[in-house]
């Protein structure tokens, strides 16, 4: 049996997980790859640090160029994260004729065209199952399993940290800051959680899925995004009363006027699979023109689930499949017809609105009048007896669910409403998915 | 671009669906296969029958040997169903050097060793995504996407007809016969639904998944199975009271004493993904040693979802991947170490029990005594005030949930209990999954 050699760049959580599978389950990996897969190199930042993975026979180095320049290495696995160093390593590895396996969503979202151009020039595979959805084989599903379909619609929970925080807020009634602290205690959130909670991480992953499912080459910056960091507990409670859960979703829809892409906290109908995803899990709903509705679910992060995806890719490369897939998918190619994006102000959705209004006669009528003038029709209203008091001037919450409306019209109505003196705080607006 | 030619054997629901994708979306298929895929032949039973698929340029024949003997044909797609004719066609096609795509679960479950031996001898691929789970790419997930894992546990809803019937029974309170009639009216159940409702179809699919996930070569007849055809509405109601849904599950678990395989209606905890699968859908939960808990969901049958899987396989074969996968998976090979099966009387599970007992003091104590003697401990009991009266001798239902128990001990206890004169009808026993 022919052998392939792997250079593993990065021995953090994911790298150590991948090293463990490659060394402890070498027989299994060999059987499924059709050849022996040897972990030859591990590139680390500090060679003296002790690690809880046995690296017998593995050369540990701090110099990545030793790996890139080793003609025996067939596959470079990049799991250091970050963009600049990873970009250099991936490009140099491809140029040196190595296949690349990467878990790096930011790298692909921001430098996909350059990386895949180099892969094509070198006729090497770039496999990236671990970059989206942790252990869920969603890249393989979209690129191979569902290849007979044109995807029509994709909605996904792609950030386990955010989903854990939202679950804690919903089930335990914790305010955002407390739920975030709980996530940090459990290791689900980083010390600096900004890229998770502001939606950037989800947007990176959506950019990759949009390329796979729609051949849309969209810079992350062009994806409208809103995080969970300004969500108020009150809105999760009203959503619950209305029969919805609030989820941070990546949304992609093929419409007659272009591809709609966005990342936002959205109300999802309880009882649907996405609404019921709890804790640090990821899930992707894919609607294809032939297959109809499908749903994929699993752990979105962590050493072992991500290592499952990384080693799955190593096997796919070693078996010779990944290169064939890379060639036909032809991702981020320069000659692909650009998929037109639907301008974000043209997005159509149902909306959840919450207003903080003076408890006075005629206020609802005034709001309803403005919404009506903009062509926004009201599906349902919640107004409870009392709200947040502010001593003299009593303020009450008013919750409105709209029928389908165009974002532009809605924003215009909200600007007008927020200028009224009977409105005491900026209105809250969230999309609604069925 | 090189071209591959396809011979489609069978132009029923699935065949017509596949023909539509191959002809109406030829550009899409070519792009994803990396070469033009030409539908050259369609083999039908009645050449004069009109069909709602355009077959311009496709040669329609009633003689399958024309396809098998056509050297230009690269891929034979078998979608006629049944076992004997399909077996001959698949073996002859492989022997003639064609790759085979099949949706035929009975064929693979019953003749897997023979078919894959011929595939190996001819070095050709047998692709069978459509044989299990309809449009859900579960074969690809187990064979490729999750290849880094040893599957520990697999539980699946694999028969949409049964799941539709159980959903109707649960949500609408219909008795089995009425729910079956509703399924037949909607085309979800055949005129003769025996193989669906008695669990045979699910057992065929489980045999295939067991081969993929565990390399277990198990004849369908060796899989203990129970259908939904004798389920009583009362048990679905009690299950609901206890917080469970009843689902027909295919179960496979790797235990220290062997592989546990079975098909049975089982109580599944509400709120878990499997319990919430409604209507004619399929779903598979896979627990892998690295990836942890994953879940796949979609339509389990129907023209378009199944055609999505068939054409996905055609693309996989045309792209050259399927042959590589076939070689490494080495399914149903003669030299594979047989996976020992756990004898069915050694299965450990929690159980739901329903007894029809005389409404008399001391009856519960008598039953509890027998269960205790067999080492079966009781987790909870439901006894309502009144049951089905039979005038003189009042009979009441007694529902017991047990803790983990060994099947053999449980059966022995039930035999003893059913002999008591205070027990008025055979006891009902269903497994329970968390």
């Amino acid at each position: 049996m022919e052998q392939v050699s792997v250079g593993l760049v990065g021995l953090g959580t994911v790298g150590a997980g991948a090293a463990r599978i490659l060394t402890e389950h070498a027989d299994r990996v060999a059987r499924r790859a059709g050849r022996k897969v040897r972990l030859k190199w591990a590139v680390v930042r500090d060679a003296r640090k002790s690690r809880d993975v046995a690296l017998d026979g593995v050369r540990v180095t701090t110099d990545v160029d030793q790996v890139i320049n080793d003609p025996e290495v067939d596959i470079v696995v990049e799991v250091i994260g970050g963009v600049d160093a990873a970009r250099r390593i991936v490009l140099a590895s491809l140029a040196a004729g190595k296949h690349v396996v990467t878990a790096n969503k930011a790298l692909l979202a921001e430098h996909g065209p350059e990386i895949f151009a180099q892969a094509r020039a070198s006729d090497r595979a770039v496999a990236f199952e671990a970059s989206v959805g942790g252990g869920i084989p969603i890249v393989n599903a979209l690129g191979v399993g569902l290849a007979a379909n044109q995807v029509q619609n994709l909605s996904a929970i792609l950030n386990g940290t955010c989903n854990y925080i939202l679950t804690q807020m919903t089930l335990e009634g914790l305010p955002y800051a407390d739920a975030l602290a709980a996530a940090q205690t459990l290791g689900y959130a980083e010390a600096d959680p900004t890229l998770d909670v502001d939606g950037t991480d989800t947007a990176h992953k959506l950019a990759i899925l949009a390329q796979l499912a729609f051949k849309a080459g969209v810079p992350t910056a062009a994806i409208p995004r809103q995080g969970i960091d300004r969500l108020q507990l009150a809105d999760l409670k009203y959503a619950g009363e209305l029969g919805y859960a609030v989820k941070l979703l990546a949304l992609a829809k093929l419409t007659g006027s272009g591809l709609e892409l966005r990342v936002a906290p959205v109300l999802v109908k309880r009882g649907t699979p996405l609404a019921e995803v709890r804790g640090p899990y990821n899930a992707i709903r894919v609607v294809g023109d032939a297959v109809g509705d499908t749903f994929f679910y699993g752990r979105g992060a962590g050493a072992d689930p991500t290592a499952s995806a990384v080693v799955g890719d190593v096997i796919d490369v070693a078996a010779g499949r990944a290169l064939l897939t890379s060639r036909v998918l032809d991702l981020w190619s320069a000659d692909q017809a650009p998929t037109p994006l639907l301008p974000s102000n043209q997005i159509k959705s149902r909306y959840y609105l919450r207003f903080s209004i003076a408890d006075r006669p005629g206020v609802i009528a005034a709001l309803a009048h403005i919404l009506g003038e903009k062509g926004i029709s009201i599906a349902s209203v919640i107004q409870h007896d009392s709200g947040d008091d502010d001593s003299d001037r009593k303020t009450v919450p008013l919750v409105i669910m709209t029928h389908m409306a165009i974002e532009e019209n809605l924003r215009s109505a909200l600007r007008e409403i927020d200028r009224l003196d009977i409105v005491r705080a900026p209105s809250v607006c969230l999309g609604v998915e069925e």
Side-chain angles (χ1 to χ4, degrees), chain A:
Chain A
M1 190 189 276
E2 201 187 321
Q3 172 177 286
V4 300
S5 292
V6 172
L8 177 62
V9 184
L11 210 55
T13 313
V14 174
R20 263 195 299 275
I21 300 179
L22 288 172
T23 53
E24 292 174 16
H25 299 293
D27 284 355
R28 180 198 301 170
V29 171
R31 214 163 52 238
R32 293 173 185 178
R35 62 204 60 193
K36 196 168 174 325
V37 176
R38 174 189 175 203
L39 179 56
K40 182 171 180 185
W41 291 98
V43 182
V44 299
R45 232 182 312 200
D46 177 356
R48 285 157 311 180
K49 191 170 155 189
S50 79
R51 301 164 202 278
D52 66 341
V53 51
L55 292 170
D56 309 337
V58 179
R59 302 188 200 178
V60 178
T61 177
T62 57
D63 177 12
V64 69
D65 289 323
Q66 285 196 282
V67 176
I68 295 170
N69 295 328
D70 179 349
E72 220 181 60
V73 170
D74 303 289
I75 304 172
V76 170
V77 176
E78 182 276 303
V79 282
I80 53 169
V83 172
D84 294 339
R87 173 174 161 270
R88 190 191 79 75
I89 292 165
V90 166
L91 289 172
S93 298
L94 290 167
K98 321 297 187 198
H99 301 287
V100 167
V101 171
T102 177
N104 197 324
K105 62 258 171 182
L107 176 67
L108 295 180
E110 292 178 16
H111 298 283
E114 184 185 22
I115 287 165
F116 281 79
Q118 182 62 61
R120 270 186 290 277
S122 306
D123 195 29
R124 288 299 178 271
V126 176
F128 54 96
E129 183 64 79
S131 67
V132 187
I136 307 167
I138 186 63
V139 170
N140 188 41
L142 288 171
V144 177
L146 299 177
N149 291 266
Q150 173 57 54
V151 175
Q152 308 284 352
N153 192 333
L154 188 151
S155 33
I157 295 168
L158 298 175
N159 186 285
T161 306
C162 290
N163 203 59
Y164 177 82
I165 292 172
L166 292 175
T167 305
Q168 289 300 104
M169 291 175 75
T170 304
L171 298 185
E172 309 295 333
L174 295 182
Y176 170 77
D178 295 358
L180 171 60
Q184 286 170 320
T185 304
L186 287 167
Y188 294 151
E190 313 269 347
D192 176 2
T194 313
L195 294 182
D196 288 322
V197 300
D198 78 356
T200 302
D201 175 78
T202 301
H204 284 147
K205 293 165 178 169
L206 179 57
I208 294 170
L209 294 182
Q211 174 63 221
L212 260 171
F214 305 101
K215 286 231 152 200
V218 188
T220 311
I223 298 176
R225 70 176 172 282
Q226 187 185 335
I228 63 165
D229 40 348
R230 281 169 302 166
L231 273 183
Q232 294 170 53
L233 197 51
D235 296 304
L236 274 67
K237 287 182 180 161
Y238 289 119
E241 281 185 37
L242 291 158
Y244 292 83
V246 176
K247 295 290 176 187
L248 183 68
L249 292 190
L251 292 163
K253 276 181 208 165
L254 213 48
T255 76
S257 330
L259 180 65
E260 173 193 327
L261 288 181
R262 66 197 161 104
V263 172
V266 166
L267 275 68
V268 187
K269 192 87 184 157
R270 292 296 310 270
T272 59
L274 274 177
E276 304 305 324
V277 174
R278 293 178 191 177
Y281 278 82
N282 279 196
I284 304 103
R285 176 181 177 227
V286 179
V287 182
D289 61 351
V291 75
D293 213 335
T294 62
F295 180 77
F296 303 83
Y297 165 94
R299 282 213 173 249
D304 289 343
T306 312
S308 163
V310 166
V311 176
D313 272 351
V314 169
I315 291 171
D316 207 33
V317 172
R321 285 183 303 245
L323 179 59
L324 299 175
T325 305
S326 269
R327 285 186 191 142
V328 296
L329 289 185
D330 196 25
L331 295 175
W332 280 285
S333 66
D335 58 342
Q336 73 192 29
T339 305
L341 283 198
L342 185 72
S344 65
N345 64 6
Q346 293 305 307
I347 286 173
K348 274 188 203 158
S349 174
R350 296 182 62 206
Y351 289 95
Y352 160 98
L353 308 174
R354 177 167 60 86
F355 303 101
S356 299
I357 54 172
D359 192 8
R360 237 190 257 167
V363 172
I364 297 185
L367 267 59
H369 178 72
I370 294 174
L371 291 169
E373 274 189 336
K374 304 291 180 183
I376 295 155
S377 77
I378 294 175
S380 62
V381 175
I382 300 184
Q383 188 177 20
H384 290 302
D385 234 355
S386 83
D388 307 316
D389 272 42
D390 60 357
S391 58
D392 307 340
R393 316 188 319 156
K394 192 170 175 201
T395 300
V396 293
L398 172 71
V399 170
I400 289 178
M401 293 282 278
T402 76
H403 287 298
M404 289 299 269
I406 295 172
E407 173 99 11
E408 184 175 40
N409 298 346
L410 185 87
R411 292 290 163 196
S412 156
L414 293 184
R415 275 193 301 275
E416 202 166 313
I417 287 171
D418 281 357
R419 278 196 300 264
L420 297 176
D421 71 341
I422 50 172
V423 171
R424 299 288 167 74
S427 56
V428 171
C429 170
L430 299 169
V432 178
E433 291 282 306
E434 290 316 298

